[in-house]
Every structure is written in structure tokens, then in C-alpha cells.
Amino acid sequence: MKTFDATQVAALAPLAIIIIAGLAVLLLEAFAGSKNRRFLMGFSVVACLIAFGVQYTAFVDLPVHATSSIFSGSLSTDRFSGIFGMLFLANAALVCLLAPDFLKEHGFEFGEFYALVLFGTAGMMIMASATDFLTVFIGIETMSLAVYVLTGSWRKNAKSSEGAMKYFLVGSFATAVLLYGMALVYGATQATNLAEIARAVAHNSNSPILIIGMLLILVAIFFKIAAVPFHMWAPDAYEGAPSPVTAFMAAGVKAAGFATLLRVFGTAFNNSDLAFGASGWAQIIAIVAALTMTVGNLAALRQENIKRMLAYSSVSHAGYLLIGVVAMATPELADHARGAIVFYLVTYTFSIVGAFGVVSWISSKNDERLQLDGWAGLGSRHPAAALAMTIFMLSFAGIPPTGGFFGKFYLFRAVLEKTDLTWLVVVAVINSMVATYYYLRVVTAMYFREVGREPRPIVSAPMTAAIAIACLVTLGLGLLPGWLLTAAQNAPIGR
């Protein structure tokens, strides 16, 4: 057994920084006092930036196919985990910037918020690095428990409690399904390490126990990414959670779910018989992708509540991403498909955090202005906020010059290289056209409806900075997309 040396300590540094920072926030909260909680926000943001810098340095220095195994193969630090780690840290920093004035405005400011965000981010980083089912489970539960609490943290809001309860119950069920699937796979392969499972699968891919276990694991991940028909928790949880928490969920939880999906099915079940056999996961994911896109977009068309609309929009984006997972099952397309998925997740993360940032900004005490009618005239009264929201809506719709355009372009192009998936791209394009309608409804309300009641937005420099950063990155990825795509394609999944 390899000893725990300085190299492994360095590889764990970004994760260790976030965990230590979370513990420090809990300690500092006891002494900060209600007037000094903004310091906790600054401390958390600085911790995320330091961890981001360490993660970026390790990413750049690490050769493309190099990997470092930690804790006897339980975790792996490679470029794949590195790029996801940076994404999670950026998401956490932006959410921390959004939070303090929103929490203060609505009267439930508490310092533990930042610790929960940091612990949830640590769980996401573990999920992206996990190369053993045991650490996959630890990562999922670390993330999930933090997000459950954050969702219900608005204790005086009944919808927050309702959303948290539904999310917790559905998440607990998904955890039970995940554990049962892992147990069956262990029974069939006598292994929990993903690489060892892959070797066992190569000699016995037709085991019924193995196939059932694999499908149960897939179902559990579908719950986490809110894929149809396991998406019903998302609208209530997104609506009930405080808007900064919704941003954290919509971006981080979804990206972490896809990181786990890519690593588990790109390693343990990366077998042509399991992918394309009679019960192959590629065909199942293709069908789920088509359903997820269609159901998500059709449901979003009917929504007048902007948080519920964005929740169903998030469901549809999971469908778009799943078609890339289907393409990844073909070895010659794996790098292009994985790179396109990562690019899409990065653009989606900044767009969704920015969108919920504007939702947070326009919110005021006793009036969150979640109905679209409440956004009427925003373009004339607050043109900068309306412009930012327009950029995010255009990015979701895949309209240039935003990052969302290239996200869909690279994803669809990667899938089209596999000719028998053309039908799936056609479904995705039709759904993208449908989605444009409800995204433009928001733009229409802001610019072309009669001015409604005067909004009293939250005056917040950190919140404004977070929205501006998200806006600039969304536009920047639309103007200069190549560097990120290259980095994503050069981040293979280590074994």
C-alpha cells in the first residue's frame, strides 16, 4: 500500500483549504456577532479564490493523461477533477457574494450559511475526484446534506420548508437506490473501486445482478441531475430555497451530478456490451435525454413564476447534456463529447448563477417579485440589470454572442459525429427553438410591457460584482470559446 506522502498532500490541498475554511467559519461565527457577518462572506470568498489558485496551478502543471491516486485509490486527482474543482469553487465564490445582503434584507442572516456552502462545495469536489463507490457516496452525502439545510434555511418562509422537505425525502430515496445499486455491483464484481469494476466487467458484462445494479446507480444520478421522470422535486425546491441557494443548487449540484455520471460510466461501465447491449445504458440515456428536454421545456412554457420557469429550464438543460453522455459511450467520440459537456456546464453555471443573482437583486423584503408581471419596465428603470438578465436568457437559448451558443454548438456537433444519434440532435434543436419563446418572455416583460410598480432592488456591491462577473464570463465565452474547449478536451478521466 502506498504511503501518504507530500505529493498526495499537495494534490488534496484545494479540498483541504475549503474544508478547513468551512470549519473556521463555524468557529468565527461564534465570535463575529451579527454586525460582522460580512467578514465571514469575505473570508469564504478569499478561501475559494485561494483554493481556485492552487487548483489552477495543479491543473496547468499536471500532464494531460497523468493521474494521482490518493487514499489507496479512493480519490484521484487528474485534469478532469481539476477543471470541475475550479468550476465548483467559482460557483461557491459567486454564491457567497450574492448571499449577505439578500439574507439581511429578508431577515434570516446567519454565518453558518457560508460554512454550509463551503462544505457543500467540498462534497462536490469529492464527487468529481471519487474513484471508489465509497467516496462517491461520501461526496454525494456531504453535498446533499449541506444543500438540504440551505434549502430550508429560510425558516419563516413556508415554501422554503416545503421545498427542503420534498428535496430531502426524494434525495433520501435516491440515496437508498444508489446504495442498493452499489451493493449489487459489488456482489457481481467483488469490488468498489471503479477501475477494478471495469476489469471485472470486461470478463463478465452479462451478469443480471451487475446490469440491475448499474441501472439503479443510473437512476440515482438521474435524481441528482433532475432528469425526467425523476425531476419533480426541482420546481418546489428551487422556488422555496433562498435565491442565492437556488443558484448554488442549479449550478453546483447539477455539475457535480454530471461529474459523477461521467466518471462512473466513463470508467466502471465503459464497456461496449454494457453501453450498447440489450439493456445498454446509452440507449436508456438517449430516451431519458429526449424526454427530459421535451418535458422540461413544455412545463417551462406555462410558468409565470420566474424561479419555477428556471427550474424547468434547468431540467431541460440536463436533457441537452445527457445527449453528450450518449455520444461519450463511443470511444472515438469520447474526448470531443466530454469536452463539449464540460464547456456546456461552465457556460450554464455562470449563466444560471447570474440569472438567480438578478432575481436576488430585484427582491425586497416581503416582495420577491417572482411573477413575470413584476419585471415589467425593468429595462427603463434599471437598464444594467435588465441587460444582464437579457444576456443570461440569450445564453440559455443558445443565441450568439453568448457562451450558451457555443455550448450547444459544440455539444450538437460532437453528437452529430455519431450518425445514428441524428434524431436526438433534431429533438434537441426543436426543443431549443421552443425554449427561446419562454426565455424571450422575460426580455419582453422587461422592455416591452408597461411599467409596473417601482422595484426596490437590494443595494449591494458584492451582489452587483457577482452579477457583473457572471455576465462578463458568459459574454467572454461567446467571444473567445476556444481556450475553454481545448482545456476541457485535454481533461480526460483518469483511472
Side-chain angles (χ1 to χ4, degrees):
M1 181 181 294
K2 186 177 179 180
T3 58
F4 192 70
D5 55 22
T7 302
Q8 297 190 37
V9 172
L12 279 174
L15 177 61
I17 290 170
I18 292 301
I19 294 174
I20 293 171
L23 295 172
V25 168
L26 289 178
L27 182 61
L28 291 171
E29 165 64 7
F31 303 98
S34 60
K35 295 183 179 180
N36 297 316
R37 285 189 175 128
R38 189 173 290 268
F39 167 76
L40 299 179
M41 177 273 292
F43 179 85
S44 301
V45 171
V46 170
C48 289
L49 293 178
I50 293 173
F52 185 96
V54 174
Q55 188 78 79
Y56 176 77
T57 302
F59 180 86
V60 172
D61 293 341
L62 194 67
V64 172
H65 293 283
T67 182
S68 176
S69 180
I70 305 173
F71 296 140
S72 302
S74 297
L75 292 174
S76 176
T77 55
D78 48 27
R79 290 175 71 95
F80 177 83
S81 63
I83 200 167
F84 271 101
M86 288 186 284
L87 178 61
F88 299 143
L89 292 166
N91 176 45
L94 292 177
V95 169
C96 289
L97 289 173
L98 292 176
D101 292 294
F102 180 93
L103 301 181
K104 185 176 181 179
E105 175 74 14
H106 292 279
F108 65 106
E109 187 179 18
F110 61 103
E112 295 88 349
F113 178 94
Y114 306 104
L116 289 168
V117 170
L118 294 175
F119 290 144
T121 302
M124 296 171 190
M125 295 171 72
I126 292 171
M127 289 170 68
S129 301
T131 50
D132 191 284
F133 278 152
L134 297 178
T135 42
V136 169
F137 175 75
I138 291 171
I140 288 176
E141 287 306 293
T142 302
M143 174 193 74
S144 298
L145 291 173
V147 177
Y148 296 153
V149 177
L150 287 170
T151 302
S153 60
W154 198 343
R155 289 177 293 177
K156 295 181 181 180
N157 188 320
K159 288 187 176 180
S160 178
S161 300
E162 178 187 354
M165 181 58 68
K166 289 181 178 179
Y167 191 17
F168 171 73
L169 291 175
V170 172
S172 299
F173 178 76
T175 298
V177 172
L178 177 68
L179 285 174
Y180 192 35
M182 289 178 176
L184 291 177
V185 171
Y186 176 78
T189 63
Q190 301 300 303
T192 58
N193 182 272
L194 300 184
E196 293 177 8
I197 292 172
R199 288 191 287 269
V201 166
H203 298 96
N204 186 22
S205 61
N206 296 320
S207 168
I209 296 177
L210 172 66
I211 293 173
I212 294 172
M214 177 193 72
L215 295 179
L216 288 175
I217 292 170
L218 184 60
V219 166
I221 296 175
F222 283 160
F223 272 106
K224 294 300 178 184
I225 64 175
V228 172
F230 311 105
H231 68 293
M232 297 308 295
W233 61 269
D236 292 322
Y238 279 39
E239 182 185 9
S243 295
V245 175
T246 311
F248 186 62
M249 293 165 56
V253 173
K254 190 173 296 291
F258 272 98
T260 298
L261 180 62
L262 294 178
R263 189 176 284 279
V264 171
F265 282 80
T267 304
F269 305 126
N270 188 19
N271 179 283
S272 58
D273 291 334
L274 285 179
F276 300 107
S279 301
W281 56 262
Q283 292 95 320
I284 293 172
I285 291 178
I287 295 170
V288 171
L291 289 173
T292 301
M293 288 183 284
T294 305
V295 171
N297 283 318
L298 292 179
L301 287 173
R302 302 173 57 249
Q303 303 303 317
E304 294 296 326
N305 182 300
I306 193 164
K307 287 177 81 171
R308 294 185 74 87
M309 185 203 79
L310 290 173
Y312 282 112
S313 163
S314 177
V315 171
S316 71
H317 284 285
Y320 299 135
L321 286 159
L322 284 173
I323 68 175
V325 179
V326 178
M328 199 187 73
T330 303
E332 58 268 23
L333 302 181
D335 287 342
H336 292 291
R338 186 188 59 257
I341 291 169
V342 173
F343 185 97
Y344 196 110
L345 283 169
V346 173
T347 59
Y348 175 77
T349 292
F350 283 95
S351 298
I352 198 69
V353 171
F356 279 112
V358 178
V359 172
S360 302
W361 178 84
I362 199 176
S363 168
S364 60
K365 191 173 184 178
N366 301 321
D367 184 13
E368 282 196 272
R369 305 179 73 91
L370 297 181
Q371 298 300 313
L372 283 178
D373 290 342
W375 291 64
L378 187 68
S380 61
R381 293 183 174 178
H382 300 284
L387 176 61
M389 194 65 170
T390 300
I391 290 171
F392 300 135
M393 293 298 107
L394 294 179
S395 182
F396 292 143
I399 298 174
T402 63
F405 168 75
F406 282 103
K408 289 185 176 177
F409 173 76
Y410 290 139
L411 192 64
F412 296 166
R413 186 182 67 177
V415 177
L416 281 174
E417 294 182 30
K418 186 171 174 59
T419 54
D420 58 350
L421 292 178
T422 302
W423 69 272
L424 198 53
V425 176
V426 172
V427 172
V429 171
I430 294 172
N431 272 282
S432 296
M433 295 169 62
V434 171
T436 302
Y437 169 76
Y438 63 79
Y439 292 132
L440 292 182
R441 285 184 66 200
V442 181
V443 179
T444 301
M446 292 189 296
Y447 288 104
F448 301 108
R449 286 191 188 175
E450 294 183 6
V451 176
R453 64 189 187 280
E454 174 66 33
R456 190 177 66 83
I458 298 173
V459 179
S460 169
M463 191 178 290
T464 302
I467 296 170
I469 291 169
C471 190
L472 291 173
V473 174
T474 300
L475 282 176
L477 292 175
L479 298 172
L480 298 169
W483 66 271
L484 177 58
L485 182 67
T486 301
Q489 290 178 342
N490 289 331
I493 301 171
R495 295 198 175 212

